[in-house]
Amino acid sequence: MKNQPFIRGEQITQPIPLEEFLPAYRSGVVSFWLNQLPSRPDLVISPFGDSPLEALEAAAAGYRVVVPIHNPIIRFLLNRLAQPISKEELNSALVRLSSSYKGKERLKPFILSLYETECPHCGRMTSARSFTWSKSRGEPVRKTCLCSDCGELSETPVSQEDLQKALAYKENSPSHARALTRVAPPDDPIRFQAENALKTYPHRTVHALFTILNKLTGFDLSPEERINLEMLLLHAFYRCSNLNSSPVSERESATYADGDTYKEENVWFALEEALDIWENGQISVPVATWPDLPPDSGGISIYPGRVRDLIPQLKNIDLSAALMVFPKPNLSFWSLSALWTGWLWGQEAAAPLRNILSLQNLDWVWLTRAIKSTLSGLEEILPPGIPCLGLLPNLEIEYLISVGTAACGSGFSLTDIAVDPDLPQGQIICTTGERLVASPTAKSMKEIIRSAGFEFLKVMGEPKHTLAIYSAGLASIASEQILLHSEEENLADVYLQLVKNFEESIAYRQGFLHFSKSETWWHQELSPSADPHADRVEQVLVNLLAKNSSPLPEVDIYAHLYHKFPGLATPQQGLIEVCLKSYAEKISGTQDGWKLSSSDQPSNRRQDLKEIEDILFLLGKQLGFEIIKAAPIGNILCLVWKNNGETSYTFYISASGILSKIITGFDPSPANPWIILPGSRAELIHYKMENNNPLAKAIQNSWGLVKYRHIRRIADEGGLTKENLQERLALDPFTSDAPQLPLI
């Protein structure tokens, strides 16, 4: 492994159309990776086509991207996001729609009337925002209203009139028949699958949607107006499906069993909500249709089909980088995509998705085959040395193993792997190479995984997350090349066997200890390190803050830490966050940044250490102890209180949250040891103990933790005796940084 630093990117705050069905996106990852390549790629291939945002980011950064997209909904989404639109333009289309007629009534009042109910506050009639349904009872049980008259927000049980109105809509209505016919004719074998997908919509929702769609098809619209209305409708399709219903309230979840409720959203309010969803503020990106290419200044060429059909056309194309956002199995989204495509553009447009509708299950084996097929095809046409970035959003164990199986078996050279379980994101770096041949090895797969896990934990010096230890195993498997050129028909067996090998290798029988609360592992043959990974990260971060008097942008702090701890050593976001909160304060301004807090300035901390040392000297003398100043451990002071030649107390005065160098340095522990720390380290210490079970066990068994402020309070309050000293030290537990009143 070359230890490429992890690229964190930034969590975007604005909403994204179809967000729940798209791979989790962090802005800046793609452009950063492309910009730091040794030579600027002229043409980038993004072969999986499930994540339009990464392709748009690359194009906006000035790169030309070729992306095959088989799903018409994703193609539509990318095209629309590439051409930003104002809220005013969309609202103009919605106003025109609302002013059309349903019979003698305008469309907007008609749709709102479908959800009409009595406001529980003022008694006037209003259109409910949503109804919560019980699946087991087959009826709505609660309603949410924002009254158009009194303006009060309420959530109350439904009335008998609400029930009658909701249950008046039937499955065999003309709207349901049209909803199915727009996707497949009555005699089509896939109609049954279309019916299953349609069941994710309440009957009233289908009636409302197709009342609107009927108006859309009857309108004399310009191409721009039609597209704008299609954008609004697509969000309503997405928002009003049970698969994307709003989470129920705490009150509802306490009343009904988990998974028993879903929200029926008001279709018209979903259309209005779409106005803000589509207003994204992105820059315009040129989009062409393959084989046309975008301009040299950057853009996207979309191939409207499967990647396997595009690959043969790329043989003479000078591709110089690959951007791979690995997909995940999501049959629900593909089924809904078939519905939405048919609803918007008819049966012919939905026809390419027939095969997806006919599938019964998209599982991890299916995904492994799909990724392997794509990567093998690319490996055949790409010249050696092409850099490839692989992104694994919403990372989980099966996903990691699936991608690892496909990548290791397709001929790519895996050079880096890094994960952050807190995001959760994974990144792999690989290159195309010469036609590789699997290397013979005497090691079994289990032995490789077990050894990699053990060595990884040994280097880290503390327990690590399952995703991290599995990544270490995959990196070792890749270096051995033992999965190379796995036969397609045996790929399912390879994947399933690899899952089993991991489960049996990283396991108690092999000496690994699992801590389920933190989802971390340790090995019983390893001893806790005096310099564990978390302490190293803390030290590097503090040194960085101490060297800079001006606020440091958060992005620079993360980049520095990722550079210092690359690849498998990538620190988790939670650790970095808690270290920043412990040592620094956030400075708001034109660019928010972090600055070492005044209390943690080196001169102030030296003064604190001296003050606490003096207090302990004075208290010890007052109680009649002999005070011995032992050799410090780095910057950590040590005072020993003796009584009649025997050690009664050992105090370690520290300014940091680095405890392991103290605790692991003694076997057995010193007599009655206490570590005295700033109260601002409380959250950091708790984080370390929660994620480092051996450290937590050692502290709980033998060590006491005391805050500076409590030592000062003991000195100020007086009344201290040898008999009550132990009790007084424990009065302010190191459980938080919130001041606690001393117990009397």
Side-chain angles (χ1 to χ4, degrees), residues 558-580:
Y558 274 87
H560 179 81
L561 291 172
Y562 291 148
H563 178 76
K564 291 290 186 180
F565 301 96
L568 293 171
T570 298
Q572 291 183 217
Q573 177 175 265
L575 172 62
I576 298 174
E577 287 180 345
V578 77
C579 284
L580 283 171

Side-chain angles (χ1 to χ4, degrees), residues 176-186 188 190-191 193-195 197-198 210 335-351 353-354 357:
H176 271 71
R178 186 155 189 259
L180 292 172
T181 303
R182 290 284 293 177
V183 181
D188 195 310
I190 68 164
R191 182 147 171 138
Q193 282 75 20
E195 290 174 352
L198 186 60
F210 270 82
S335 298
L336 288 176
S337 292
L339 279 188
W340 301 343
T341 300
W343 291 355
L344 289 173
W345 306 301
Q347 288 182 11
E348 185 176 347
L353 301 181
R354 290 177 54 83
L357 274 178

Side-chain angles (χ1 to χ4, degrees), residues 91-374:
N91 190 54
S92 176
L94 185 58
V95 168
R96 181 171 182 191
L97 180 67
S98 67
S99 62
S100 63
Y101 282 87
K102 167 65 176 174
K104 295 183 178 181
E105 187 176 6
R106 290 192 181 275
L107 187 61
K108 178 180 178 179
F110 175 81
I111 298 298
L112 290 176
S113 71
L114 301 179
Y115 306 91
E116 196 171 54
T117 185
E118 184 179 287
C119 171
H121 288 281
C122 68
R124 296 186 179 93
M125 300 305 288
T126 189
S127 190
R129 308 297 297 190
S130 65
F131 289 91
T132 299
W133 284 64
S134 166
K135 293 179 183 178
S136 58
R137 291 167 55 175
E139 61 185 34
V141 291
R142 299 185 70 82
K143 62 184 178 183
T144 301
C145 298
L146 180 61
C147 183
S148 55
D149 284 312
C150 69
E152 290 291 331
L153 179 65
S154 62
E155 184 185 313
T156 56
V158 297
S159 66
Q160 190 61 38
E161 291 76 12
D162 295 329
L163 276 176
Q164 292 175 355
K165 179 175 285 191
L167 298 178
Y169 299 90
K170 303 298 181 182
E171 187 173 4
N172 57 356
S173 68
S175 295
H176 271 71
R178 186 155 189 259
L180 292 172
T181 303
R182 290 284 293 177
V183 181
D187 58 349
D188 195 310
I190 68 164
R191 182 147 171 138
F192 176 74
Q193 282 75 20
E195 290 174 352
N196 286 336
L198 186 60
K199 288 178 181 177
T200 65
Y201 289 91
H203 302 325
R204 176 164 47 187
T205 299
V206 176
H207 177 69
L209 287 173
F210 270 82
T211 299
I212 296 170
L213 277 167
N214 289 339
K215 295 281 96 182
L216 183 64
T217 55
F219 264 3
D220 181 19
L221 298 169
S222 69
E224 292 78 14
E225 287 176 318
R226 179 169 295 277
I227 288 174
N228 292 348
L229 287 175
E230 288 171 350
M231 292 167 67
L232 299 178
L233 277 166
L234 178 58
H235 177 72
F237 296 164
Y238 160 75
R239 190 73 172 84
C240 296
S241 166
N242 294 348
L243 293 176
N244 189 53
S245 63
S246 301
V248 297
S249 67
E250 290 184 11
R251 181 189 304 173
E252 292 171 297
S253 62
T255 305
Y256 302 99
D258 289 344
D260 184 52
T261 60
Y262 65 87
K263 285 285 186 72
E264 177 195 10
E265 301 289 347
N266 186 311
V267 168
W268 194 266
F269 291 145
L271 289 172
E272 292 180 343
E273 181 184 77
L275 300 176
D276 292 318
I277 297 294
W278 282 102
E279 191 178 43
N280 55 69
Q282 295 192 47
I283 66 172
S284 180
V285 171
V287 176
T289 300
W290 180 268
D292 294 336
L293 293 177
D296 292 341
S297 57
I300 298 171
S301 177
I302 299 177
Y303 176 78
R306 299 178 184 274
V307 62
R308 69 186 183 193
D309 298 322
L310 171 64
I311 286 177
Q313 303 179 41
L314 298 174
K315 287 185 177 180
N316 298 318
I317 303 297
D318 187 20
L319 297 169
S320 44
L323 169 61
M324 300 180 288
V325 185
F326 292 108
K328 296 184 77 171
N330 193 339
L331 184 57
S332 298
F333 175 54
W334 279 91
S335 298
L336 288 176
S337 292
L339 279 188
W340 301 343
T341 300
W343 291 355
L344 289 173
W345 306 301
Q347 288 182 11
E348 185 176 347
L353 301 181
R354 290 177 54 83
N355 290 338
I356 294 293
L357 274 178
S358 64
L359 290 174
Q360 298 299 312
N361 187 31
L362 297 185
D363 57 12
W364 295 109
V365 170
W366 178 91
L367 178 70
T368 306
R369 286 198 181 103
I371 295 175
K372 168 74 159 42
S373 175
T374 298

Side-chain angles (χ1 to χ4, degrees), residues 539 606 609 632-638 653-656 661 708:
Q539 186 65 58
R606 286 193 294 268
L609 290 170
I633 304 174
N635 294 324
I636 301 168
L637 304 181
C638 179
I653 312 170
S654 176
S656 74
K661 66 170 63 176
Y708 284 1

Side-chain angles (χ1 to χ4, degrees), residues 466-485:
T466 305
L467 288 170
I469 199 169
Y470 275 38
S471 295
L474 282 174
S476 188
I477 289 170
S479 65
E480 297 284 352
Q481 298 179 8
I482 56 178
L483 292 182
L484 191 61
H485 304 315

Side-chain angles (χ1 to χ4, degrees), residues 7-10 25-37 41 44 46 51-61 63 65 322-325 389-391 427:
I7 308 170
R8 175 172 174 256
E10 296 298 322
Y25 168 72
R26 296 185 70 86
S27 67
V29 174
V30 169
S31 54
F32 181 91
W33 179 75
L34 288 169
N35 290 337
Q36 56 85 47
L37 291 176
V44 180
S46 182
S51 183
L53 297 176
E54 277 80 5
L56 285 167
E57 180 183 325
Y63 296 91
V65 185
L323 169 61
M324 300 180 288
V325 185
L389 170 65
L391 300 178
Q427 297 171 7

Side-chain angles (χ1 to χ4, degrees), residues 483-631:
L483 292 182
L484 191 61
H485 304 315
S486 303
E487 294 298 327
E488 193 68 28
E489 59 269 19
N490 296 327
L491 198 61
D493 294 336
V494 172
Y495 166 77
L496 294 173
Q497 186 61 50
L498 190 55
V499 171
K500 184 178 180 181
N501 286 339
F502 269 105
E503 291 174 348
E504 294 180 353
S505 302
I506 310 299
Y508 180 76
R509 288 185 178 182
Q510 305 301 327
F512 289 93
L513 306 174
H514 184 227
F515 308 111
S516 57
K517 184 177 180 180
S518 57
E519 193 50 49
T520 57
W521 294 84
W522 188 235
H523 199 282
Q524 60 189 12
E525 294 180 11
L526 293 172
S527 300
S529 170
D531 187 28
H533 182 243
D535 286 0
R536 285 175 252 161
V537 172
E538 177 185 348
Q539 186 65 58
V540 169
L541 176 55
V542 173
N543 289 341
L544 175 66
L545 293 170
K547 290 177 181 178
N548 289 271
S549 56
S550 300
L552 282 171
E554 188 171 281
V555 63
D556 292 347
I557 293 172
Y558 274 87
H560 179 81
L561 291 172
Y562 291 148
H563 178 76
K564 291 290 186 180
F565 301 96
L568 293 171
T570 298
Q572 291 183 217
Q573 177 175 265
L575 172 62
I576 298 174
E577 287 180 345
V578 77
C579 284
L580 283 171
K581 291 177 184 177
S582 181
Y583 285 96
E585 52 190 359
K586 199 163 191 176
I587 309 298
S588 298
T590 54
Q591 185 177 31
D592 290 352
W594 290 87
K595 183 179 180 181
L596 193 67
S597 63
S598 58
S599 60
D600 277 304
Q601 294 294 331
S603 59
N604 292 335
R605 279 308 179 201
R606 286 193 294 268
Q607 185 176 338
D608 288 336
L609 290 170
K610 184 66 170 64
E611 179 192 0
I612 300 301
E613 180 185 19
D614 291 345
I615 292 174
L616 290 175
F617 256 107
L618 179 60
L619 291 177
K621 288 294 184 182
Q622 290 175 348
L623 296 177
F625 289 103
E626 177 189 0
I627 313 298
I628 298 174
K629 187 172 182 178

